Amino acid sequence: VNEYLRIVSTEKDKASDICMSLIDVCQSLYEDKPGDDTTVLTLKMCEKKTVNLVIGPPADPENDNRIMSEVINSKGKTVICGGTTANIAARYLGKEMTIDVSTMTDEIPPIGLIPGIDLVVEGVVTISNAVKLIKAYNSPVYSEEARKKIKEKNGAAMLADMIINECSNLNIWMGQAVNPAHQDAQFLRNFNYKESQAKELKDIVEKMGKEVKFSYT
Protein backbone atom coordinates (compact mmCIF):
# COMPACT_ATOMS: atom_id res chain seq x y z
CA VAL A 1 0.00 0.00 0.00
CA ASN A 2 2.80 2.38 0.92
CA GLU A 3 4.62 1.82 -2.37
CA TYR A 4 1.45 2.23 -4.41
CA LEU A 5 0.52 5.48 -2.64
CA ARG A 6 4.00 6.90 -3.22
CA ILE A 7 3.55 6.31 -6.94
CA VAL A 8 -0.05 7.46 -7.32
CA SER A 9 0.50 10.60 -5.24
CA THR A 10 2.95 11.84 -7.87
CA GLU A 11 0.46 11.16 -10.67
CA LYS A 12 -2.72 12.56 -9.11
CA ASP A 13 -3.23 15.93 -7.43
CA LYS A 14 -6.66 15.61 -5.82
CA ALA A 15 -7.05 13.79 -2.51
CA SER A 16 -10.36 12.33 -3.76
CA ASP A 17 -8.65 10.91 -6.87
CA ILE A 18 -5.93 9.28 -4.78
CA CYS A 19 -8.62 7.86 -2.51
CA MET A 20 -10.60 6.38 -5.40
CA SER A 21 -7.45 4.95 -7.01
CA LEU A 22 -6.65 3.05 -3.83
CA ILE A 23 -10.24 1.85 -3.52
CA ASP A 24 -10.13 0.62 -7.13
CA VAL A 25 -6.92 -1.32 -6.43
CA CYS A 26 -8.48 -2.93 -3.36
CA GLN A 27 -11.53 -3.82 -5.44
CA SER A 28 -9.30 -5.44 -8.04
CA LEU A 29 -7.39 -7.42 -5.40
CA TYR A 30 -10.75 -8.71 -4.17
CA GLU A 31 -11.51 -9.64 -7.81
CA ASP A 32 -14.63 -7.45 -7.52
CA LYS A 33 -15.97 -9.67 -4.72
CA PRO A 34 -15.00 -7.92 -1.46
CA GLY A 35 -14.55 -10.31 1.44
CA ASP A 36 -14.25 -7.47 3.94
CA ASP A 37 -14.83 -3.73 4.12
CA THR A 38 -12.21 -1.26 2.87
CA THR A 39 -12.16 2.32 4.17
CA VAL A 40 -9.78 4.98 2.88
CA LEU A 41 -9.36 8.47 4.32
CA THR A 42 -7.14 10.96 2.50
CA LEU A 43 -6.00 14.35 3.74
CA LYS A 44 -4.20 16.95 1.65
CA MET A 45 -2.20 19.92 2.88
CA CYS A 46 -1.45 22.72 0.43
CA GLU A 47 -0.77 26.42 0.31
CA LYS A 48 -3.58 28.87 -0.31
CA LYS A 49 -4.40 29.17 -4.02
CA THR A 50 -6.60 32.06 -5.10
CA VAL A 51 -8.57 32.46 -8.31
CA ASN A 52 -10.04 35.88 -9.14
CA LEU A 53 -13.03 35.53 -11.46
CA VAL A 54 -14.55 38.59 -13.18
CA ILE A 55 -17.98 38.12 -14.76
CA GLY A 56 -19.19 41.10 -16.74
CA PRO A 57 -18.25 44.81 -16.52
CA PRO A 58 -19.16 47.16 -13.65
CA ALA A 59 -22.49 49.00 -13.64
CA ASP A 60 -20.66 52.32 -13.93
CA PRO A 61 -18.06 52.48 -16.75
CA GLU A 62 -16.14 54.99 -14.64
CA ASN A 63 -15.22 52.06 -12.40
CA ASP A 64 -13.78 49.89 -15.19
CA ASN A 65 -10.13 50.68 -14.52
CA ARG A 66 -10.50 50.68 -10.74
CA ILE A 67 -12.08 47.24 -10.67
CA MET A 68 -9.64 45.84 -13.20
CA SER A 69 -6.71 47.22 -11.20
CA GLU A 70 -8.09 45.67 -8.02
CA VAL A 71 -8.51 42.29 -9.70
CA ILE A 72 -5.23 42.12 -11.61
CA ASN A 73 -3.19 43.32 -8.64
CA SER A 74 -4.77 40.74 -6.33
CA LYS A 75 -2.79 37.63 -5.47
CA GLY A 76 -3.62 34.54 -7.46
CA LYS A 77 -4.83 33.75 -10.95
CA THR A 78 -7.11 36.01 -12.97
CA VAL A 79 -10.03 34.76 -15.07
CA ILE A 80 -12.09 37.08 -17.27
CA CYS A 81 -15.56 36.03 -18.41
CA GLY A 82 -17.32 37.83 -21.26
CA GLY A 83 -16.26 39.71 -24.38
CA THR A 84 -16.89 43.22 -23.07
CA THR A 85 -15.03 42.47 -19.85
CA ALA A 86 -12.13 41.01 -21.84
CA ASN A 87 -11.91 44.19 -23.91
CA ILE A 88 -11.80 46.25 -20.72
CA ALA A 89 -8.97 44.06 -19.37
CA ALA A 90 -7.01 44.30 -22.64
CA ARG A 91 -7.42 48.07 -22.73
CA TYR A 92 -6.35 48.43 -19.10
CA LEU A 93 -3.23 46.34 -19.71
CA GLY A 94 -2.51 48.01 -23.04
CA LYS A 95 -2.50 44.61 -24.76
CA GLU A 96 -4.28 43.10 -27.74
CA MET A 97 -6.59 40.14 -27.33
CA THR A 98 -6.39 37.23 -29.75
CA ILE A 99 -8.73 34.26 -30.11
CA ASP A 100 -7.65 30.63 -29.88
CA VAL A 101 -10.06 29.00 -32.33
CA SER A 102 -8.62 25.56 -31.57
CA THR A 103 -10.53 25.66 -28.25
CA MET A 104 -13.93 26.16 -29.88
CA THR A 105 -16.48 23.32 -29.76
CA ASP A 106 -20.04 22.92 -31.01
CA GLU A 107 -21.30 24.11 -27.61
CA ILE A 108 -18.55 26.28 -26.16
CA PRO A 109 -17.06 29.46 -27.68
CA PRO A 110 -13.27 29.73 -28.01
CA ILE A 111 -11.08 31.24 -25.31
CA GLY A 112 -9.29 34.56 -25.66
CA LEU A 113 -5.63 35.24 -25.02
CA ILE A 114 -4.48 38.41 -23.24
CA PRO A 115 -0.90 38.68 -21.95
CA GLY A 116 -1.07 39.02 -18.16
CA ILE A 117 -4.43 37.22 -17.82
CA ASP A 118 -4.46 33.51 -16.95
CA LEU A 119 -7.75 32.61 -18.67
CA VAL A 120 -10.21 34.53 -20.85
CA VAL A 121 -13.53 32.87 -21.66
CA GLU A 122 -16.96 33.74 -23.02
CA GLY A 123 -19.62 34.47 -20.43
CA VAL A 124 -22.86 32.67 -19.72
CA VAL A 125 -22.47 29.60 -21.97
CA THR A 126 -18.99 28.84 -20.66
CA ILE A 127 -19.94 29.39 -17.01
CA SER A 128 -23.04 27.21 -17.39
CA ASN A 129 -21.00 24.36 -18.88
CA ALA A 130 -18.27 24.75 -16.25
CA VAL A 131 -20.91 24.41 -13.54
CA LYS A 132 -22.12 21.16 -15.14
CA LEU A 133 -18.57 19.80 -15.31
CA ILE A 134 -17.87 20.63 -11.66
CA LYS A 135 -21.15 19.03 -10.59
CA ALA A 136 -20.32 15.85 -12.51
CA TYR A 137 -16.81 15.79 -11.03
CA ASN A 138 -18.19 16.12 -7.50
CA SER A 139 -20.92 13.52 -7.92
CA PRO A 140 -21.07 10.98 -5.08
CA VAL A 141 -20.65 8.32 -7.78
CA TYR A 142 -17.03 8.36 -8.94
CA SER A 143 -16.72 9.02 -12.67
CA GLU A 144 -13.50 8.65 -14.64
CA GLU A 145 -15.30 10.27 -17.57
CA ALA A 146 -15.95 13.42 -15.50
CA ARG A 147 -12.24 13.61 -14.72
CA LYS A 148 -11.35 13.31 -18.39
CA LYS A 149 -13.88 16.00 -19.34
CA ILE A 150 -12.20 18.71 -17.25
CA LYS A 151 -8.91 18.04 -19.06
CA GLU A 152 -10.36 18.80 -22.48
CA LYS A 153 -9.14 21.85 -24.38
CA ASN A 154 -12.11 24.22 -24.17
CA GLY A 155 -13.03 27.22 -22.04
CA ALA A 156 -15.52 25.45 -19.77
CA ALA A 157 -13.16 22.56 -19.04
CA MET A 158 -10.24 24.93 -18.41
CA LEU A 159 -12.34 27.00 -15.99
CA ALA A 160 -13.66 23.93 -14.20
CA ASP A 161 -10.19 22.37 -13.94
CA MET A 162 -8.71 25.58 -12.54
CA ILE A 163 -11.42 25.86 -9.87
CA ILE A 164 -11.18 22.18 -8.93
CA ASN A 165 -7.41 21.71 -8.95
CA GLU A 166 -5.81 25.16 -8.65
CA CYS A 167 -8.09 26.98 -6.24
CA SER A 168 -8.66 27.02 -2.49
CA ASN A 169 -10.12 30.54 -2.45
CA LEU A 170 -12.40 31.94 -5.16
CA ASN A 171 -13.14 35.66 -5.49
CA ILE A 172 -16.05 36.46 -7.82
CA TRP A 173 -16.64 39.98 -9.14
CA MET A 174 -20.16 40.04 -10.61
CA GLY A 175 -20.60 43.01 -12.96
CA GLN A 176 -24.01 44.65 -13.19
CA ALA A 177 -23.61 46.69 -16.34
CA VAL A 178 -26.69 46.94 -18.54
CA ASN A 179 -26.29 47.90 -22.18
CA PRO A 180 -28.90 50.62 -22.89
CA ALA A 181 -29.29 49.23 -26.40
CA HIS A 182 -30.34 45.84 -25.08
CA GLN A 183 -32.81 46.55 -22.30
CA ASP A 184 -35.44 44.17 -23.63
CA ALA A 185 -37.03 41.16 -21.96
CA GLN A 186 -34.68 38.67 -23.59
CA PHE A 187 -31.58 40.59 -22.51
CA LEU A 188 -32.84 40.83 -18.93
CA ARG A 189 -33.56 37.10 -18.89
CA ASN A 190 -30.03 36.39 -20.10
CA PHE A 191 -28.55 38.73 -17.50
CA ASN A 192 -30.56 37.11 -14.71
CA TYR A 193 -29.51 33.66 -15.94
CA LYS A 194 -25.84 34.68 -15.92
CA GLU A 195 -26.20 35.94 -12.37
CA SER A 196 -27.97 32.75 -11.30
CA GLN A 197 -25.18 30.65 -12.85
CA ALA A 198 -22.55 32.72 -11.03
CA LYS A 199 -24.39 32.16 -7.74
CA GLU A 200 -24.72 28.44 -8.46
CA LEU A 201 -20.98 28.33 -9.11
CA LYS A 202 -20.43 30.01 -5.76
CA ASP A 203 -22.64 27.45 -4.01
CA ILE A 204 -21.03 24.34 -5.49
CA VAL A 205 -17.51 25.65 -4.88
CA GLU A 206 -18.38 26.34 -1.23
CA LYS A 207 -19.72 22.78 -0.96
CA MET A 208 -16.29 21.61 -2.08
CA GLY A 209 -14.88 23.17 1.08
CA LYS A 210 -13.34 26.16 -0.64
CA GLU A 211 -13.74 29.76 0.50
CA VAL A 212 -15.73 32.02 -1.82
CA LYS A 213 -16.10 35.79 -1.80
CA PHE A 214 -18.91 37.12 -4.02
CA SER A 215 -19.20 40.84 -4.69
CA TYR A 216 -21.12 43.03 -7.13
CA THR A 217 -19.48 45.78 -9.18
PDB file of all heavy atoms in Angstrom, residues 57 84 176-192 194:
ATOM      1  N   PRO A  57     -18.799  43.507 -16.927  1.00  0.00           N
ATOM      2  CA  PRO A  57     -18.252  44.810 -16.523  1.00  0.00           C
ATOM      3  C   PRO A  57     -19.063  45.468 -15.412  1.00  0.00           C
ATOM      4  O   PRO A  57     -20.220  45.103 -15.170  1.00  0.00           O
ATOM      5  CB  PRO A  57     -18.342  45.631 -17.824  1.00  0.00           C
ATOM      6  CG  PRO A  57     -19.477  45.016 -18.577  1.00  0.00           C
ATOM      7  CD  PRO A  57     -19.457  43.551 -18.252  1.00  0.00           C
ATOM      8  N   THR A  84     -17.049  41.819 -23.473  1.00  0.00           N
ATOM      9  CA  THR A  84     -16.886  43.221 -23.072  1.00  0.00           C
ATOM     10  C   THR A  84     -15.872  43.347 -21.945  1.00  0.00           C
ATOM     11  O   THR A  84     -15.008  44.237 -21.961  1.00  0.00           O
ATOM     12  CB  THR A  84     -18.234  43.813 -22.630  1.00  0.00           C
ATOM     13  OG1 THR A  84     -19.173  43.720 -23.707  1.00  0.00           O
ATOM     14  CG2 THR A  84     -18.072  45.272 -22.231  1.00  0.00           C
ATOM     15  N   GLN A 176     -22.578  44.380 -13.038  1.00  0.00           N
ATOM     16  CA  GLN A 176     -24.010  44.651 -13.189  1.00  0.00           C
ATOM     17  C   GLN A 176     -24.315  45.646 -14.302  1.00  0.00           C
ATOM     18  O   GLN A 176     -25.370  46.265 -14.322  1.00  0.00           O
ATOM     19  CB  GLN A 176     -24.577  45.177 -11.864  1.00  0.00           C
ATOM     20  CG  GLN A 176     -24.573  44.130 -10.756  1.00  0.00           C
ATOM     21  CD  GLN A 176     -25.281  44.627  -9.514  1.00  0.00           C
ATOM     22  OE1 GLN A 176     -24.809  45.527  -8.830  1.00  0.00           O
ATOM     23  NE2 GLN A 176     -26.439  44.056  -9.239  1.00  0.00           N
ATOM     24  N   ALA A 177     -23.393  45.765 -15.235  1.00  0.00           N
ATOM     25  CA  ALA A 177     -23.606  46.692 -16.341  1.00  0.00           C
ATOM     26  C   ALA A 177     -24.780  46.235 -17.200  1.00  0.00           C
ATOM     27  O   ALA A 177     -24.955  45.039 -17.452  1.00  0.00           O
ATOM     28  CB  ALA A 177     -22.345  46.792 -17.186  1.00  0.00           C
ATOM     29  N   VAL A 178     -25.570  47.202 -17.651  1.00  0.00           N
ATOM     30  CA  VAL A 178     -26.695  46.938 -18.542  1.00  0.00           C
ATOM     31  C   VAL A 178     -26.515  47.800 -19.775  1.00  0.00           C
ATOM     32  O   VAL A 178     -26.425  49.028 -19.687  1.00  0.00           O
ATOM     33  CB  VAL A 178     -28.047  47.252 -17.874  1.00  0.00           C
ATOM     34  CG1 VAL A 178     -29.181  47.054 -18.871  1.00  0.00           C
ATOM     35  CG2 VAL A 178     -28.252  46.363 -16.657  1.00  0.00           C
ATOM     36  N   ASN A 179     -26.428  47.173 -20.932  1.00  0.00           N
ATOM     37  CA  ASN A 179     -26.288  47.905 -22.181  1.00  0.00           C
ATOM     38  C   ASN A 179     -27.616  48.577 -22.517  1.00  0.00           C
ATOM     39  O   ASN A 179     -28.625  47.909 -22.701  1.00  0.00           O
ATOM     40  CB  ASN A 179     -25.894  46.941 -23.310  1.00  0.00           C
ATOM     41  CG  ASN A 179     -25.493  47.665 -24.581  1.00  0.00           C
ATOM     42  OD1 ASN A 179     -26.014  48.739 -24.873  1.00  0.00           O
ATOM     43  ND2 ASN A 179     -24.591  47.071 -25.338  1.00  0.00           N
ATOM     44  N   PRO A 180     -27.643  49.914 -22.597  1.00  0.00           N
ATOM     45  CA  PRO A 180     -28.898  50.622 -22.888  1.00  0.00           C
ATOM     46  C   PRO A 180     -29.541  50.169 -24.199  1.00  0.00           C
ATOM     47  O   PRO A 180     -30.752  50.275 -24.364  1.00  0.00           O
ATOM     48  CB  PRO A 180     -28.458  52.097 -22.989  1.00  0.00           C
ATOM     49  CG  PRO A 180     -27.189  52.159 -22.211  1.00  0.00           C
ATOM     50  CD  PRO A 180     -26.519  50.828 -22.418  1.00  0.00           C
ATOM     51  N   ALA A 181     -28.752  49.657 -25.105  1.00  0.00           N
ATOM     52  CA  ALA A 181     -29.292  49.230 -26.401  1.00  0.00           C
ATOM     53  C   ALA A 181     -29.953  47.853 -26.322  1.00  0.00           C
ATOM     54  O   ALA A 181     -30.549  47.395 -27.291  1.00  0.00           O
ATOM     55  CB  ALA A 181     -28.175  49.208 -27.440  1.00  0.00           C
ATOM     56  N   HIS A 182     -29.806  47.194 -25.180  1.00  0.00           N
ATOM     57  CA  HIS A 182     -30.340  45.835 -25.079  1.00  0.00           C
ATOM     58  C   HIS A 182     -31.221  45.657 -23.845  1.00  0.00           C
ATOM     59  O   HIS A 182     -31.239  44.591 -23.248  1.00  0.00           O
ATOM     60  CB  HIS A 182     -29.190  44.825 -25.028  1.00  0.00           C
ATOM     61  CG  HIS A 182     -28.344  44.825 -26.253  1.00  0.00           C
ATOM     62  ND1 HIS A 182     -27.187  45.537 -26.366  1.00  0.00           N
ATOM     63  CD2 HIS A 182     -28.513  44.202 -27.443  1.00  0.00           C
ATOM     64  CE1 HIS A 182     -26.649  45.359 -27.550  1.00  0.00           C
ATOM     65  NE2 HIS A 182     -27.446  44.552 -28.239  1.00  0.00           N
ATOM     66  N   GLN A 183     -31.961  46.653 -23.475  1.00  0.00           N
ATOM     67  CA  GLN A 183     -32.811  46.550 -22.302  1.00  0.00           C
ATOM     68  C   GLN A 183     -34.178  45.980 -22.684  1.00  0.00           C
ATOM     69  O   GLN A 183     -35.214  46.567 -22.398  1.00  0.00           O
ATOM     70  CB  GLN A 183     -32.953  47.912 -21.620  1.00  0.00           C
ATOM     71  CG  GLN A 183     -31.657  48.383 -20.973  1.00  0.00           C
ATOM     72  CD  GLN A 183     -31.854  49.603 -20.099  1.00  0.00           C
ATOM     73  OE1 GLN A 183     -32.783  49.657 -19.313  1.00  0.00           O
ATOM     74  NE2 GLN A 183     -30.994  50.587 -20.242  1.00  0.00           N
ATOM     75  N   ASP A 184     -34.183  44.833 -23.319  1.00  0.00           N
ATOM     76  CA  ASP A 184     -35.437  44.171 -23.630  1.00  0.00           C
ATOM     77  C   ASP A 184     -35.588  42.955 -22.730  1.00  0.00           C
ATOM     78  O   ASP A 184     -34.703  42.600 -21.964  1.00  0.00           O
ATOM     79  CB  ASP A 184     -35.500  43.767 -25.109  1.00  0.00           C
ATOM     80  CG  ASP A 184     -34.305  42.924 -25.529  1.00  0.00           C
ATOM     81  OD1 ASP A 184     -33.752  42.206 -24.669  1.00  0.00           O
ATOM     82  OD2 ASP A 184     -33.932  42.988 -26.705  1.00  0.00           O
ATOM     83  N   ALA A 185     -36.741  42.284 -22.859  1.00  0.00           N
ATOM     84  CA  ALA A 185     -37.035  41.165 -21.962  1.00  0.00           C
ATOM     85  C   ALA A 185     -36.025  40.040 -22.108  1.00  0.00           C
ATOM     86  O   ALA A 185     -35.594  39.436 -21.126  1.00  0.00           O
ATOM     87  CB  ALA A 185     -38.445  40.650 -22.236  1.00  0.00           C
ATOM     88  N   GLN A 186     -35.619  39.744 -23.356  1.00  0.00           N
ATOM     89  CA  GLN A 186     -34.676  38.667 -23.589  1.00  0.00           C
ATOM     90  C   GLN A 186     -33.326  38.965 -22.963  1.00  0.00           C
ATOM     91  O   GLN A 186     -32.695  38.106 -22.348  1.00  0.00           O
ATOM     92  CB  GLN A 186     -34.504  38.425 -25.094  1.00  0.00           C
ATOM     93  CG  GLN A 186     -33.575  37.258 -25.433  1.00  0.00           C
ATOM     94  CD  GLN A 186     -34.069  35.938 -24.879  1.00  0.00           C
ATOM     95  OE1 GLN A 186     -35.255  35.627 -24.976  1.00  0.00           O
ATOM     96  NE2 GLN A 186     -33.178  35.177 -24.264  1.00  0.00           N
ATOM     97  N   PHE A 187     -32.863  40.225 -23.097  1.00  0.00           N
ATOM     98  CA  PHE A 187     -31.579  40.590 -22.509  1.00  0.00           C
ATOM     99  C   PHE A 187     -31.624  40.448 -20.996  1.00  0.00           C
ATOM    100  O   PHE A 187     -30.700  39.919 -20.368  1.00  0.00           O
ATOM    101  CB  PHE A 187     -31.203  42.025 -22.869  1.00  0.00           C
ATOM    102  CG  PHE A 187     -29.965  42.502 -22.153  1.00  0.00           C
ATOM    103  CD1 PHE A 187     -28.704  42.164 -22.598  1.00  0.00           C
ATOM    104  CD2 PHE A 187     -30.075  43.264 -20.991  1.00  0.00           C
ATOM    105  CE1 PHE A 187     -27.569  42.582 -21.919  1.00  0.00           C
ATOM    106  CE2 PHE A 187     -28.945  43.683 -20.308  1.00  0.00           C
ATOM    107  CZ  PHE A 187     -27.697  43.339 -20.783  1.00  0.00           C
ATOM    108  N   LEU A 188     -32.723  40.912 -20.386  1.00  0.00           N
ATOM    109  CA  LEU A 188     -32.836  40.833 -18.934  1.00  0.00           C
ATOM    110  C   LEU A 188     -32.886  39.384 -18.466  1.00  0.00           C
ATOM    111  O   LEU A 188     -32.327  39.043 -17.427  1.00  0.00           O
ATOM    112  CB  LEU A 188     -34.073  41.603 -18.463  1.00  0.00           C
ATOM    113  CG  LEU A 188     -34.003  43.125 -18.647  1.00  0.00           C
ATOM    114  CD1 LEU A 188     -35.320  43.762 -18.248  1.00  0.00           C
ATOM    115  CD2 LEU A 188     -32.860  43.726 -17.833  1.00  0.00           C
ATOM    116  N   ARG A 189     -33.536  38.515 -19.240  1.00  0.00           N
ATOM    117  CA  ARG A 189     -33.562  37.099 -18.891  1.00  0.00           C
ATOM    118  C   ARG A 189     -32.158  36.514 -18.947  1.00  0.00           C
ATOM    119  O   ARG A 189     -31.749  35.756 -18.071  1.00  0.00           O
ATOM    120  CB  ARG A 189     -34.497  36.336 -19.835  1.00  0.00           C
ATOM    121  CG  ARG A 189     -35.976  36.452 -19.495  1.00  0.00           C
ATOM    122  CD  ARG A 189     -36.791  35.398 -20.217  1.00  0.00           C
ATOM    123  NE  ARG A 189     -36.752  35.574 -21.662  1.00  0.00           N
ATOM    124  CZ  ARG A 189     -37.611  36.340 -22.337  1.00  0.00           C
ATOM    125  NH1 ARG A 189     -38.556  37.012 -21.702  1.00  0.00           N
ATOM    126  NH2 ARG A 189     -37.532  36.445 -23.650  1.00  0.00           N
ATOM    127  N   ASN A 190     -31.401  36.883 -19.981  1.00  0.00           N
ATOM    128  CA  ASN A 190     -30.030  36.394 -20.101  1.00  0.00           C
ATOM    129  C   ASN A 190     -29.158  36.887 -18.958  1.00  0.00           C
ATOM    130  O   ASN A 190     -28.325  36.152 -18.425  1.00  0.00           O
ATOM    131  CB  ASN A 190     -29.426  36.835 -21.435  1.00  0.00           C
ATOM    132  CG  ASN A 190     -30.052  36.119 -22.621  1.00  0.00           C
ATOM    133  OD1 ASN A 190     -30.678  35.079 -22.471  1.00  0.00           O
ATOM    134  ND2 ASN A 190     -29.905  36.695 -23.796  1.00  0.00           N
ATOM    135  N   PHE A 191     -29.330  38.160 -18.585  1.00  0.00           N
ATOM    136  CA  PHE A 191     -28.545  38.730 -17.496  1.00  0.00           C
ATOM    137  C   PHE A 191     -28.865  38.009 -16.187  1.00  0.00           C
ATOM    138  O   PHE A 191     -27.972  37.644 -15.423  1.00  0.00           O
ATOM    139  CB  PHE A 191     -28.823  40.227 -17.350  1.00  0.00           C
ATOM    140  CG  PHE A 191     -28.057  40.873 -16.230  1.00  0.00           C
ATOM    141  CD1 PHE A 191     -26.749  41.302 -16.416  1.00  0.00           C
ATOM    142  CD2 PHE A 191     -28.629  41.030 -14.972  1.00  0.00           C
ATOM    143  CE1 PHE A 191     -26.030  41.883 -15.381  1.00  0.00           C
ATOM    144  CE2 PHE A 191     -27.928  41.603 -13.937  1.00  0.00           C
ATOM    145  CZ  PHE A 191     -26.621  42.037 -14.138  1.00  0.00           C
ATOM    146  N   ASN A 192     -30.158  37.792 -15.933  1.00  0.00           N
ATOM    147  CA  ASN A 192     -30.560  37.105 -14.709  1.00  0.00           C
ATOM    148  C   ASN A 192     -30.046  35.670 -14.690  1.00  0.00           C
ATOM    149  O   ASN A 192     -29.672  35.147 -13.639  1.00  0.00           O
ATOM    150  CB  ASN A 192     -32.087  37.119 -14.572  1.00  0.00           C
ATOM    151  CG  ASN A 192     -32.626  38.509 -14.289  1.00  0.00           C
ATOM    152  OD1 ASN A 192     -31.922  39.355 -13.762  1.00  0.00           O
ATOM    153  ND2 ASN A 192     -33.873  38.746 -14.657  1.00  0.00           N
ATOM    154  N   LYS A 194     -27.281  34.605 -16.183  1.00  0.00           N
ATOM    155  CA  LYS A 194     -25.841  34.685 -15.924  1.00  0.00           C
ATOM    156  C   LYS A 194     -25.581  34.867 -14.434  1.00  0.00           C
ATOM    157  O   LYS A 194     -24.690  34.218 -13.869  1.00  0.00           O
ATOM    158  CB  LYS A 194     -25.214  35.829 -16.717  1.00  0.00           C
ATOM    159  CG  LYS A 194     -23.710  35.977 -16.494  1.00  0.00           C
ATOM    160  CD  LYS A 194     -23.090  36.923 -17.501  1.00  0.00           C
ATOM    161  CE  LYS A 194     -23.561  38.341 -17.322  1.00  0.00           C
ATOM    162  NZ  LYS A 194     -22.854  39.279 -18.230  1.00  0.00           N
TER     163      LYS A 194
END
